[in-house]
Amino acid sequence: MTEKKVVLLIVEGSSDERVLSSIIREMNAGSTSIQFELVRGDAFTSNSSAKGKAVVSAVISSFITRTKIPAKQIAFVGYILDVDGIYIKESDVSCEDKRDDDYFQYDSSSEQVVFGSKEKMENVQAKWVKKQSRVNELQSNDFTFKMREHAGTSTRIDIPVQIYFNNITLEHVLVNKILRGMDAEDEKKQIVRAFSKRIASDETPFETAKVFFQKLVPANATNNKQSWDKIKQNPWELGLE
């Protein structure tokens, strides 16, 4: 029996998985199995000295170890991440010492990121610098990883990988809002539930799904590399509605 090829989608959280799952259910995967790997956080801001490719390779290896699916069965890997503030200009960042020291918020209406203290601002910006360095090295249209074909062999195969983005955050794509903090978690969940229901009840779910994916590759971008170039030019752009 021929084993199904696997498309592995790496996502940062359960909301990303739910949105993508609701889309994928409306599409015919045919002979391909869609699998998710939840990172549960941002692997690109870890304190290790690992380069971007090593970060992604570690996640793929973890998936293979956990699922026992051999690398030779993986046809493609898509890593979907939040861009956060890694391409936001220095002039779009401000500090208001009157606020709580831990305050940090994106204001998409004024296209500003506001921090409550200089310490918080410097800590977050340091993470952005680290993430940008790692992410920048992955923005190629011809990007593969060499992985062992299966356990017990030295034969290596190439697995194609693409890095996609949710713009600043997932809800930025879905409803053109950027939410942060524990107080925003309920609203984020409501946004995801509403999108999932919309896909499930839509008479043309594929069209809605297509619009979503077009937001991952902005207008006038003919390939993934160009979409990254565009987000660098204007990280505040997007929104499904």
Side-chain angles (χ1 to χ4, degrees):
M1 181 178 175
T2 303
E3 293 178 321
K4 271 192 171 186
K5 285 293 185 179
V6 171
V7 169
L8 172 59
L9 298 180
I10 302 170
V11 294
E12 293 182 342
S14 56
S15 294
D16 303 277
E17 181 181 13
R18 180 168 180 174
V19 166
L20 290 169
S21 294
S22 65
I23 292 171
I24 290 164
R25 277 197 301 269
E26 303 301 330
M27 298 179 177
N28 181 11
S31 60
T32 302
S33 170
I34 309 294
Q35 302 271 341
F36 285 90
E37 181 73 357
L38 269 68
V39 179
R40 300 191 185 280
D42 192 340
F44 290 98
T45 58
S46 66
N47 289 324
S48 73
S49 59
K51 299 289 187 181
K53 287 187 177 182
V55 170
V56 178
S57 181
V59 178
I60 298 172
S61 295
S62 175
F63 170 80
I64 291 171
T65 300
R66 180 177 61 81
T67 62
K68 311 301 183 189
I69 293 173
K72 66 177 182 178
Q73 206 173 323
I74 301 175
F76 176 77
V77 176
Y79 198 126
I80 300 99
L81 53 84
D82 291 344
V83 173
D84 300 317
I86 67 175
Y87 299 125
I88 288 176
K89 299 173 184 175
E90 191 71 29
S91 59
D92 292 343
V93 177
S94 63
C95 180
E96 296 182 5
D97 291 325
K98 300 176 186 177
R99 297 180 180 272
D100 295 338
D101 288 348
D102 203 43
Y103 182 87
F104 162 31
Q105 191 62 264
Y106 296 94
D107 185 346
S108 56
S109 61
S110 64
E111 298 190 351
Q112 288 282 314
V113 186
V114 181
F115 291 92
S117 69
K118 185 177 180 182
E119 181 182 6
K120 179 70 173 182
M121 181 175 69
E122 289 176 347
N123 286 342
V124 172
Q125 286 183 311
K127 289 183 177 181
W128 287 348
V129 169
K130 184 176 293 184
K131 182 172 184 174
Q132 184 189 109
S133 174
R134 288 168 167 168
V135 169
N136 281 352
E137 71 174 273
L138 302 174
Q139 296 164 21
S140 168
N141 292 315
D142 300 301
F143 179 33
T144 60
F145 273 120
K146 284 194 176 295
M147 307 288 290
R148 289 184 184 275
E149 191 174 34
H150 54 75
T153 181
S154 59
T155 304
R156 292 181 177 270
I157 60 169
D158 289 329
I159 300 177
V161 179
Q162 286 279 16
I163 308 297
Y164 302 96
F165 57 84
N166 280 329
N167 207 328
I168 293 176
T169 60
L170 176 63
E171 66 274 9
H172 192 197
V173 178
L174 295 177
V175 294
N176 206 13
K177 279 187 175 181
I178 306 169
L179 305 172
R180 274 194 52 76
M182 293 304 295
D183 293 342
E185 288 305 307
D186 285 344
E187 187 174 356
K188 287 184 179 182
K189 289 176 183 177
Q190 289 172 11
I191 290 168
V192 170
R193 281 197 294 268
F195 180 82
S196 298
K197 288 180 179 178
R198 176 179 165 187
I199 282 281
S201 61
D202 201 333
E203 292 182 3
T204 57
F206 184 78
E207 291 303 313
T208 303
K210 186 168 71 173
V211 170
F212 176 84
F213 283 110
Q214 283 172 343
K215 294 297 180 182
L216 299 188
V217 183
N220 302 319
T222 58
N223 56 52
N224 197 38
K225 177 64 169 62
Q226 284 187 9
S227 74
W228 279 101
D229 291 341
K230 286 183 174 295
I231 195 70
K232 291 175 186 177
Q233 294 168 15
N234 185 4
W236 297 101
E237 195 177 3
L238 282 192
L240 193 60
E241 294 187 344

